[in-house]
Amino acid sequence: MRRILIVGGGYAGFYTAWRLEKKLRRDEAEVTLVDPRPYMTYQPFLPEVTAGSVEARHVAVSLRRHLRRTRLVAGTIVTIDHAHRTATLRLAAGPERELHYDVIVVTAGAVTRTFPIPGVADEAIGLKHVEEAVAIRDRLLTAFERAATLPPGPERRKLLTVTVVGGGFTGVEGFGELLSLATALLKHYPELSADDLAFHLVEVRDRILPEVTDEPGRWVVRHLEKRGGHVHLETKLVSAEGGHIVLSDGTEYDNHLLIWAAGNQSNPVVARHTDLPVDEQGLFRVRADLRVGTDDAPVPDAWAAGDNAAVPDLASKVPGGHVVPNAQNAVRQGKRLAKNIVADLRGRKPKPYVHHSLGTVATLGLGKGIFQYRRIVITGLLAWLMHRGYHVLAVPTWERKVRVALVWTAALFYGRDIVSLLSVQHPRDAFIAATLGDRDRQVTRG
């Protein structure tokens, strides 16, 4: 049988494997998927996880539960030698080893883009994985508990100060959801007021949400500032050392929670550790049918999709453009990729990937959102409902759709869950404290 290796279990990788299971005959090919995590994260829900609107586990789709005919390997591919049809695998424990394949599908995604800014490595939390979203939520809730015990002043102000770097979808949605959560929490903390909150959104460009046009983008800025947020456009983060924020516009303040959402960069394995052709941005050069290579020089048995591939945008009127690297495209590319691989195995011609955008929708907090499709712009509650409706349909598997819908329904009657479980990040602290207490009592008795 032909051996198909899928590198990465994100949107594109998961959907490719899922569809291959349905389309391949059992004796036609064996599929192996390599990813360090045992689940696919539905990233559009991460901002709502930070605000407690979605349960964290519900945005993680188990690979083993839904990919029953795929061999799953928990590890990371560190090099790809396509000339010899070999990939080097690094497991969580043990030495590196080689995987041999006949067909490779690289859907390894991108990694968080960072810059050598003082303090960022020590202070910032990303917003790309579900664990990060949970940590952000717990830190904010714990900060409210601590702030409520302090008198008005610098310490209280610092605890309730949040900075989000990055004005793309992730940054703006995360900022809006956290601001919504913090505002709602005030009714549970009579010791605190809106004047104690300080939320800052920092964006290096002159606008936020580049996926929408100028006027809707300006509306989002006005909307966030009306709710008490501070939006710093054309501004860079200069330093975050010791929790003290310094911005290029001269603003300085003490900060408790720093969230890094400044976009993605090419996966280092794709950019530097493969013999497959990549462009100047470190992305795979692929044809419209998602085969690696160009129309003149296709690479046999190599395919790529998602954030690690420069996919030609056949739906665009601008020649030479590439598909926007977002969840909407990655999901559909995965489906098309599976069909094309099966077609290629059976001697048929693969079809090009063409997708016309369904529009852009973003949540800005509970009951607040924005939607744009061409010249049609909808804001407020209706846009927020459209956001929820689209994503509950888009999240893979009916099991996850039902779980998310049930949590949203419960929240209509009982509101958000505001319990912080920050201690989960240090599960042994209570046991260690109890152990030390036993030793002290033994010393005292002695």
Side-chain angles (χ1 to χ4, degrees):
M1 292 195 297
R2 300 275 282 173
R3 297 165 297 179
I4 301 174
L5 173 63
I6 301 176
V7 181
Y11 301 115
F14 173 80
Y15 273 94
T16 299
W18 205 18
R19 288 302 177 94
L20 283 175
E21 287 193 348
K22 297 176 182 179
K23 293 182 176 298
L24 287 171
R25 296 187 295 269
R26 288 188 177 273
D27 61 347
E28 193 169 12
E30 61 179 21
V31 180
T32 299
L33 187 149
V34 177
D35 194 278
R37 288 179 168 81
Y39 55 81
M40 185 212 84
T41 302
Y42 189 71
Q43 292 180 349
F45 276 154
L46 291 183
E48 294 202 54
V49 172
T50 66
S53 299
V54 173
E55 169 59 36
R57 292 182 185 272
H58 296 171
V59 308
V61 180
S62 171
L63 298 179
R64 292 194 178 275
R65 180 167 185 166
H66 299 288
L67 299 180
R68 299 178 181 178
R69 291 174 52 197
T70 300
R71 177 192 174 207
L72 299 172
V73 180
T76 303
I77 297 296
V78 293
T79 60
I80 298 171
D81 181 3
H82 189 65
H84 297 91
R85 302 297 194 274
T86 302
T88 303
L89 169 67
R90 177 182 297 154
L91 301 171
E96 295 182 352
R97 61 187 180 91
E98 292 186 343
L99 284 178
H100 298 282
Y101 62 85
D102 298 302
V103 178
I104 192 166
V105 179
V106 189
T107 53
V111 298
T112 300
R113 180 176 59 188
T114 58
F115 301 95
I117 300 172
V120 167
D122 298 320
E123 300 288 336
I125 302 177
L127 190 48
K128 192 174 180 64
H129 303 291
V130 65
E131 299 90 345
E132 295 171 324
V134 172
I136 289 169
R137 177 174 179 267
D138 286 341
R139 287 198 183 189
L140 181 63
L141 293 174
T142 303
F144 265 80
E145 291 288 346
R146 293 170 55 191
T149 66
L150 297 175
E155 286 190 61
R156 177 196 278 189
R157 180 79 172 178
K158 178 179 179 179
L159 281 170
L160 300 179
T161 299
V162 177
T163 301
V164 178
V165 179
F169 258 90
T170 300
V172 171
E173 289 191 316
F175 184 83
E177 287 286 348
L178 286 173
L179 181 58
S180 177
L181 172 61
T183 304
L185 284 173
L186 291 175
K187 67 181 180 181
H188 301 288
Y189 293 88
E191 307 91 341
L192 306 175
S193 69
D195 293 335
D196 293 314
L197 303 179
F199 278 66
H200 298 266
L201 177 63
V202 181
E203 170 54 45
V204 68
R205 291 167 293 191
D206 61 352
R207 52 164 301 174
I208 60 175
L209 292 180
E211 292 86 352
V212 303
T213 53
D214 290 346
E215 183 50 40
R218 287 191 289 267
W219 177 88
V220 173
V221 172
R222 295 193 300 269
H223 172 78
L224 293 174
E225 290 181 335
K226 185 178 179 180
R227 290 164 52 190
H230 307 279
V231 181
H232 305 265
L233 298 178
E234 297 184 273
T235 303
K236 297 180 181 180
L237 176 64
V238 176
S239 175
E241 286 188 299
H244 183 74
I245 298 295
V246 180
L247 303 180
S248 62
D249 63 1
T251 304
E252 294 189 33
Y253 54 88
D254 290 330
N255 183 75
H256 175 67
L257 182 56
L258 176 61
I259 301 165
W260 187 265
N264 297 322
Q265 62 186 8
S266 61
N267 191 302
V269 174
V270 174
R272 297 188 294 273
H273 300 287
T274 176
D275 59 349
L276 294 169
V278 298
D279 65 12
E280 56 277 4
Q281 276 79 42
L283 304 176
F284 282 122
R285 298 182 186 276
V286 299
R287 310 189 319 173
D289 61 4
L290 305 177
R291 189 192 298 274
V292 174
T294 63
D295 291 337
D296 297 328
V299 178
D301 303 322
W303 307 79
D307 290 358
N308 63 196
V311 180
D313 189 357
L314 300 186
S316 174
K317 297 179 181 179
V318 180
H322 294 102
V323 171
V324 176
N326 58 22
Q328 189 179 127
N329 280 305
V331 169
R332 288 163 175 79
Q333 287 171 19
K335 296 176 181 179
R336 169 48 53 194
L337 192 50
K339 294 177 182 178
N340 283 354
I341 292 172
V342 173
D344 189 62
L345 290 175
R346 296 173 182 173
R348 300 199 303 266
K349 184 178 180 180
K351 295 182 179 180
Y353 171 75
V354 185
H355 172 63
H356 297 273
S357 174
L358 303 177
T360 299
V361 63
T363 175
L364 303 173
L366 197 62
K368 307 170 184 69
I370 183 169
F371 168 81
Q372 181 176 17
Y373 177 70
R374 297 181 179 176
R375 295 185 179 181
I376 301 172
V377 178
I378 300 172
T379 61
L381 178 62
L382 180 57
W384 177 77
L385 291 172
M386 294 171 69
H387 174 273
R388 288 206 158 181
Y390 171 77
H391 284 297
V392 79
L393 292 175
V395 66
T397 80
W398 277 103
E399 172 243 347
R400 280 301 184 255
K401 298 179 197 295
V402 171
R403 290 183 187 274
V404 170
L406 288 175
V407 171
W408 282 342
T409 302
L412 290 176
F413 298 98
Y414 302 109
R416 293 185 178 99
D417 191 332
I418 61 171
V419 176
S420 170
L421 295 177
L422 188 63
S423 59
V424 170
Q425 298 172 40
H426 308 282
R428 297 188 66 248
D429 286 357
F431 179 77
I432 291 172
T435 303
L436 294 176
D438 287 341
R439 291 176 184 173
D440 291 342
R441 285 190 291 273
Q442 291 173 3
V443 170
T444 301
R445 285 196 297 269

